[in-house]
Amino acid sequence: MIYKFKSQAAADVIMLQANGEQMLAIVGRKPTSQGIITVAQIPAAIAALEAAIVVHEAVEARRRANPGLQIEVEGDSVLLRQRAAPFINLLKTSAQAGKDVVWGV
């Protein structure tokens, strides 16, 4: 399944299933085939994504500083900051325009 996040305020953001589900999990949503993040919920979603990025980067920095240290990081070699950037931009643009973000509709 592919997630297509849409808003009337910006271009669509398309993600593969695993990546879309990761974004939804971070913002506290269940991986459903359709849903909505309302304008009122967007600030909390952005804050959750930004907090997850900080944690992810701290783990990555620790792993790089200690090559022998075994730390399991969820996902692949793409940094969460890079993967989440288009979604965060969509959320910010939508919040400024007063538009909800939806998927699967």
Side-chain angles (χ1 to χ4, degrees):
M1 179 169 86
I2 292 180
Y3 281 92
K4 188 175 193 180
F5 298 100
K6 300 187 275 186
S7 169
Q8 294 177 347
D12 297 348
V13 172
I14 300 171
M15 294 185 175
L16 296 174
Q17 181 174 354
N19 306 134
E21 288 178 356
Q22 180 186 27
M23 296 303 121
L24 291 174
I26 291 170
V27 300
R29 298 296 178 151
K30 292 185 180 185
T32 57
S33 60
Q34 50 181 285
I36 184 170
I37 300 173
T38 65
V39 174
Q41 297 166 332
I42 289 175
I46 293 169
L49 287 162
E50 290 174 343
I53 289 168
V54 169
V55 170
H56 185 264
E57 289 177 346
V59 169
E60 280 295 314
R62 186 168 179 206
R63 186 180 61 79
R64 282 190 211 113
N66 301 300
L69 187 63
Q70 293 292 333
I71 299 176
E72 224 173 280
V73 178
E74 185 178 320
D76 52 26
S77 62
V78 177
L79 295 176
L80 182 59
R81 176 178 299 283
Q82 295 166 322
R83 176 159 291 131
F87 188 51
I88 292 172
N89 289 339
L90 174 68
L91 291 169
K92 287 180 177 180
T93 302
S94 298
Q96 290 173 348
K99 302 293 181 183
D100 299 331
V101 173
V102 298
W103 65 93
V105 292

